[in-house]
Every structure is written in C-alpha cells, then in structure tokens.
Amino acid sequence: MGFMLANRFGQRVKELRIIYSALKHFETEIAYGLTPLPNAFRNIADRIDEPICKVFTHMSQSFGQHELTTTDIWTNSWELYMQDLALKKCDYDILFQLGHGLGQTDKENQLKHIGISLAYLQTEEEEARNEQHKHEKMYKYLGFLTGMMIVILMI
Amino acid sequence: MWPKEIEEILPKTIQSLLSNANNIEKNNIQEIRLRILKPLEICFTSNFSYLSKGGFTNDISKAYITSFDDCKQILQIISNHSMYAIEEQLRQGYITFAGGHRIGIVGKVIVDNGKIRTMQHVTSFNIRIAKQIIGVATEVMPDLYDSVRNRPYHTLIVSPPQCGKTTLLRDIVYSFSRGMPRIGIPSHKVAVVDERSEIAGSVHGIAQADLGPRTDVLDACPKAEGMMLLIRSMSPQIITVDEIGTAADAIAIDEVLHAGVSIITTAHAFNLDELIERPIMQEMIKKKIFDRYILLSNNPKIGTVQGIYDRNRLKLSARRVFVG
C-alpha cells in the first residue's frame, strides 16, 4: 500500500516530464513544419513514451468527426485517460487552458501559448519532485511499519 | 458531375440539405456562398437561388440561414483544425482544397505595417467549384501550333472574368503536354507558374487537375520570378502563367522569348481594343510578342471562343478567306 502511494508520486513526475517533452515536440512541429494538428499529434505520439502517447494517439484519431471543436477533442482525450494517469487537478488545469486557444490563432500566438504552458509545467514538475522526495520516504516507511505491525500483531 | 470533396468540407446540416436537392441542378452549381446569419446562396451558371429544406428555392423567406456554428465548422474543416497552417492562404484570401476547388474568405483583417497580417472572424465563404473539361481546347489547338517552324505559338487568352479562361488554359496545357499526334502536334515539356494555385489547384504541392504527363507545376510562386526559375531549372518548351499585367511580368516574358521558350498566358479584358489601352499590354502587343490572341466571351455560353487573332490582330478566319 505504502509503496503504491509512493510510486504514484514518482509516476506523476514521470508523466509531467513526458508531457513537457511532448509540448516541446509540438512547438517544433508548429514553428518549423506548420504541421496541421492531426498530423502533429500523430508525430508526437510516435515519439513519446507511454502512458501519454495513448492520449495523443486518441486525439489524432478524433479529428475525423466534424462536429467536435478542437478544444473538445483535446479535453475529451485527456479526460478519457484520467483514470490511468497520476496527474493532479492543477496539472489538468494547465493542459485544459492550453486546449482553449489550440489551432485557432496564428503561429506566433500558438507558440506563445505553448511557451506559457511549458513554463507552468516546469514549475509543476519541480514541485512534484520535491513532494516526491518528501512523501516517498514517508509512505515507504509508513507502509513498511504497518506491515511490521501487522506481522507483530499476528505473532 | 457533383464533386464529393465539396460535401466533405460542408457542415452536416448543410450536407443534409444538399442531399435533398435536385441532382441535375446540383451538377450546375458554380458557387456555394455562405454568409453568417444570411440565407445560403447557390450560384448556377447563369442564375442563383437559395437553399432550403425542400431543395433549391427563390423564396428568400424559406431559405436556410447560415448559422454561426456553420461558419466555425467550415473554417475548422478547411484549416484542418490548425489556423496557423493556413496563415499564408488567409493573407491571400482563399484556400485551395482537395479536388482543386477553392474557398474565398472574408472577415476582419488584421493589418501590420500596411499589409494584411491575418484574418479573423471570418464571416463569408465563397466555395467555387473547379471544373476540368478535357477537350475544350481541341478546336483551337490547330491554330496554336506553328507547323512550319515546329513550335507552339506565343499565345494570349483574352477574356472577361468568369468566361472559362483558366479552364481553357488548363486544357491547352494538357493538350500540349500529351501531344495531339492526329493533327501533328508532338508532346511538349510544359512548365506552369501557378501563382494563385488556380491552374493546377495544388494541395500540398500536388496538382489536383490533370495537366498531362509532361507538365511541371511551380505552385504559389510569383509569376516573374517563377518564369526565370523555370527557364534555369526545368528547361521547358512551353511556359504557362495566368493573368499577366505588371511591368515585371513583361520583363520576364521578354526573357522567356529570348530563351526560345513558347509562352502561353492570359489577361483580363473584354476585347482587344480594351486590352491595348493598358500601357504594359500595349507595349507587348506593339512589339508583336504574341503570335495568337484567343478572345473568349460568355455569349451565348461560358467559354465561347469569339475569335482567334494573329500577331497583327487580324481574325484568323478572315485572313484565311483573304489568303484563300
């Protein structure tokens, strides 16, 4: 139990890391390739690790339906995989914020939006790392101690 | 034939309205015009009507009103959810999509240093259906080839707007590229400078129209620069450009002539007299640059060849009578 909780903190750091690099890729796709979103998301999905790559694959496949807006596609995809991810609400806030202007403005504006999200993600990641260090040990000890206690009690 | 690509870019609501409409009339559609919160207009070859639940109508009160969401969806579809990717086209005011069809757009323009930077809040769309009619040039082709010197004549197509100028040009390109052995025209290497992506209707650089097997298309390139580039890089026998008229074009055309390449091009005008009033055209006509002028009109129908004239602006049929 304790180990699982501790793992969750580590997992969040890892996921934030992947999202950060995904957005970095996204930035280059827009800046140098002017790649349209469906293709850009597919390229990103090919280059990043699980579990985030699932989200981007899903996004790139959702563009066929005409009545969905770009923001819907972005938000829905993240919500679909929320269960599998260790991200917190504040992380999703950053992502959804980015989803609002997605694809609707010119290149410079898009890059600015992504830049802002990247900066937020970085602070978020640092915080997550601190938390990880602080809590990981505690949860591990706690888990270990509870285990010991159960063993002692049983004896 | 009603092109499928058009339906794919329309919002579902309008798609279903169109599927109710008369199929025969649908084939005559030239333009679909959407204006925000205004009746949806359909332009045919010679008249127009509105689209309603029961098909085409002239009763404005029954017409379908284009909604805000329709406009938003179309923009999303044509930009592939990525406005940044079509910035350059927005600046030009139109977008070419699969099939070579074009959408003209207007909205609020954002200006930067006196130049259009981008467009926001798009409120009107004009979907123009591209038609390639293979064979429209067949009847004029014998007059465009110099069988004595074995080379195509330098040709200028003169036409008012919307008279099938580009359609004819496209078919001339196709015919020269394939060659017409039956009337003694061999196949040529043709290069096209397609500044407004109109002749080839390229999407991602791939020509949507069939311009023949030996045609190279330089897409979205400014005409004057494009002509020079093609002479250097592709060694064509024929260079084709659409709508010449500036001084830079004239200089480039001079260069093309000196390189021994035949030029086929077009200009906007209602007749040759009007054309000669334009200073740059006047100079070119006086220098007898063009060996053939093809005059088009929409009377009695679009694409009617009013006459073919020689370098001295004498009507060919008249000259034949004279010579004969």
Side-chain angles (χ1 to χ4, degrees), chain B residues 288-299:
Chain B
K288 299 196 176 165
I289 282 181
F290 297 108
D291 302 315
R292 289 288 181 266
Y293 299 90
I294 304 177
L295 186 59
L296 288 184
S297 83
N298 55 1
N299 180 28

Side-chain angles (χ1 to χ4, degrees), chain B residues 106-298:
Chain B
V106 288
K108 182 180 166 23
V109 165
I110 312 288
V111 177
D112 193 13
N113 280 332
K115 278 196 170 159
I116 299 177
R117 200 169 84 97
T118 186
M119 215 186 295
Q120 284 184 341
H121 310 296
V122 177
T123 50
S124 290
F125 298 86
N126 176 13
I127 305 173
R128 292 179 62 180
I129 294 165
K131 286 210 180 93
Q132 179 171 19
I133 314 174
I134 288 181
V136 282
T138 311
E139 86 181 272
V140 299
M141 288 305 289
D143 289 326
L144 303 185
Y145 189 72
D146 186 345
S147 45
V148 179
R149 286 187 294 165
N150 282 328
R151 46 171 299 176
Y153 283 121
H154 303 301
T155 305
L156 179 69
I157 302 172
V158 182
S159 154
Q162 295 248 318
C163 284
K165 182 170 24 85
T166 309
T167 312
L168 180 65
L169 184 66
R170 200 179 286 139
D171 204 44
I172 292 176
V173 170
Y174 174 83
S175 306
F176 271 128
S177 179
R178 287 220 26 194
M180 298 177 95
R182 220 160 42 81
I183 52 172
I185 300 178
S187 156
H188 288 78
K189 289 181 281 181
V190 189
V192 178
V193 188
D194 201 1
E195 184 170 5
R196 303 187 303 152
S197 302
E198 204 168 21
I199 307 172
S202 303
V203 176
H204 304 306
I206 297 166
Q208 302 288 309
D210 187 0
L211 294 180
R214 302 184 71 198
T215 308
D216 306 300
V217 180
L218 186 60
D219 187 32
C221 181
K223 283 177 285 255
E225 271 176 75
M227 284 188 256
M228 307 291 215
L229 187 152
L230 284 174
I231 294 173
R232 285 195 301 265
S233 61
M234 301 309 284
S235 75
Q237 291 167 299
I238 303 174
I239 286 188
T240 306
V241 291
D242 209 357
E243 278 166 42
I244 52 157
T246 66
D249 295 344
I251 295 169
I253 286 177
D254 241 18
E255 206 65 36
V256 171
L257 299 189
H258 286 126
V261 180
S262 298
I263 180 121
I264 300 174
T265 180
T266 69
H268 270 302
F270 282 87
N271 51 47
L272 290 184
D273 294 331
E274 195 194 302
L275 187 70
I276 211 162
E277 275 164 28
R278 287 159 59 181
I280 289 158
M281 297 311 294
Q282 185 179 27
E283 202 178 312
M284 283 203 270
I285 292 172
K286 280 220 174 108
K287 275 180 16 198
K288 299 196 176 165
I289 282 181
F290 297 108
D291 302 315
R292 289 288 181 266
Y293 299 90
I294 304 177
L295 186 59
L296 288 184
S297 83
N298 55 1

Side-chain angles (χ1 to χ4, degrees), chain B residues 72-84:
Chain B
K72 217 171 134 189
Q73 271 189 37
I74 289 200
L75 203 58
Q76 213 170 62
I77 299 165
I78 53 179
S79 70
N80 206 350
H81 292 261
S82 321
M83 291 295 278
Y84 55 83

Side-chain angles (χ1 to χ4, degrees), chain A residues 1-13 88 126-144:
Chain A
M1 258 282 280
F3 281 100
M4 249 169 71
L5 270 173
N7 211 355
R8 208 171 157 75
F9 281 100
Q11 189 61 31
R12 181 175 165 228
V13 175
K88 281 196 190 168
E126 233 148 78
E127 222 164 88
R129 214 174 280 264
N130 285 342
E131 237 170 68
Q132 182 194 8
H133 284 305
K134 228 170 35 191
H135 291 51
E136 206 173 34
K137 267 194 192 138
M138 190 182 80
Y139 277 115
K140 269 187 193 163
Y141 276 127
L142 221 64
F144 183 66

